Amino acid sequence: EYGIKCVVDLNHTFFSPRMAPERLRLAQQVARGERVLVVFAGVGMDALQIAARTEAKEVLVIERNAIACECIRRGKLMLSRNKTAPCPGSGKGASERMRILEGDALELLPTLEEESYDRIVAPRPKEGSLDGDLGTGDAGMSFLLAMLPLLKSKGEVHWYDFAADHELPNCDRTRKTLESACQSLGLEMEIIHVARVGSIAKRQWRVCVDFRIVAKPAA
């Protein structure tokens, strides 16, 4: 994908090549020196692209699927041998800035240092067939409450959710979930980007909402 390789186990992991332009967009948002957290990383292409194309200080990957983690490790190894990666130090430099944590995000996130990440990429998993506009899950609220304390002031989140046709283009339900999570933690936020990024079923879409933390509680 744009010169960067990943490993996919077709029996136990999911990968969509149609998300390639979105992954490239994400990488283009990352500034020099950022610490980036990628949650629900799958086979790791988001993280591999960011590591390979940017001057991020660190790219930390969290994934609970053991087979997907092995795919990430193999992808990282291939990246280390990639002499054409555009970042400083080429593939070897990129792979050295990637770190992989295997396990449940809700268990691992609280172990990380608060206010230590500039950017979080979070393509949250679907919580069964009734997730989305039918509204029987928590819409990722538990994940948001665990990850938002890790974000620095002015930090940004790329939050991937699910929406039906009738919810586009504003995605008000997703906006309300994000606003509610931030309010419960005393955070002020602003939404900076909302877009449909892929189809998951008939009249059901994967959407991305980018938002920024503009103020945190006074110490």
Side-chain angles (χ1 to χ4, degrees):
E1 184 176 285
Y2 304 118
I4 306 301
K5 296 180 180 180
C6 71
V7 175
V8 180
D9 185 316
L10 296 177
N11 294 318
H12 299 98
T13 63
F14 173 79
F15 176 76
S16 173
R18 292 178 294 180
M19 293 287 287
E22 175 65 9
R23 286 187 281 269
L24 183 60
R25 183 188 75 86
L26 287 185
Q28 292 170 339
Q29 308 301 309
V30 178
R32 177 186 300 171
E34 284 192 1
R35 299 186 71 205
V36 182
L37 172 62
V38 182
V39 193
F40 326 118
V43 299
M45 184 55 100
D46 291 302
L48 290 165
Q49 288 288 353
I50 292 170
R53 296 185 174 280
T54 76
E55 296 182 51
K57 182 178 181 180
E58 177 192 20
V59 182
L60 176 62
V61 178
I62 293 179
E63 172 56 47
R64 67 180 299 176
N65 180 336
I67 295 175
C69 282
E70 180 58 25
C71 290
I72 300 171
R73 284 188 280 267
R74 292 174 62 184
K76 180 181 175 183
L77 178 62
M78 289 193 297
L79 180 59
S80 72
R81 298 169 177 169
N82 187 333
K83 296 181 180 180
T84 63
C87 69
S90 66
K92 185 176 186 297
S95 67
E96 289 173 349
R97 291 181 284 113
M98 277 187 67
R99 190 159 61 98
I100 304 164
L101 293 181
E102 180 180 335
D104 190 320
L106 291 179
E107 296 176 1
L108 292 173
L109 290 169
T111 70
L112 302 176
E113 182 182 356
E114 292 190 2
E115 299 188 37
S116 58
Y117 289 91
D118 302 280
R119 188 174 305 273
I120 298 176
V121 180
R124 80 169 180 90
K126 194 169 177 63
E127 301 175 42
S129 60
L130 296 182
D131 195 0
D133 61 314
L134 297 179
T136 59
D138 77 347
M141 179 65 77
S142 56
F143 294 123
L144 286 164
L145 294 178
M147 73 176 62
L148 286 174
L150 305 180
L151 202 63
K152 297 178 182 178
S153 182
K154 312 301 182 184
E156 296 183 9
V157 178
H158 307 278
W159 177 254
Y160 291 84
D161 201 7
F162 307 94
D165 269 354
H166 67 86
E167 297 182 284
L168 302 175
N170 291 334
C171 300
D172 288 335
R173 177 177 53 81
T174 299
R175 288 172 179 259
K176 289 178 181 178
T177 298
L178 298 175
E179 290 168 355
S180 177
C182 288
Q183 288 172 3
S184 69
L185 295 171
L187 305 174
E188 295 182 29
M189 56 89 83
E190 63 177 357
I191 291 176
I192 53 181
H193 171 84
V194 181
R196 182 178 66 187
V197 297
S199 173
I200 59 170
K202 185 177 180 180
R203 304 184 70 181
Q204 297 288 319
W205 303 90
R206 187 72 143 158
V207 297
C208 180
V209 179
D210 297 346
F211 66 97
R212 178 184 297 118
I213 300 302
V214 296
K216 307 200 79 165

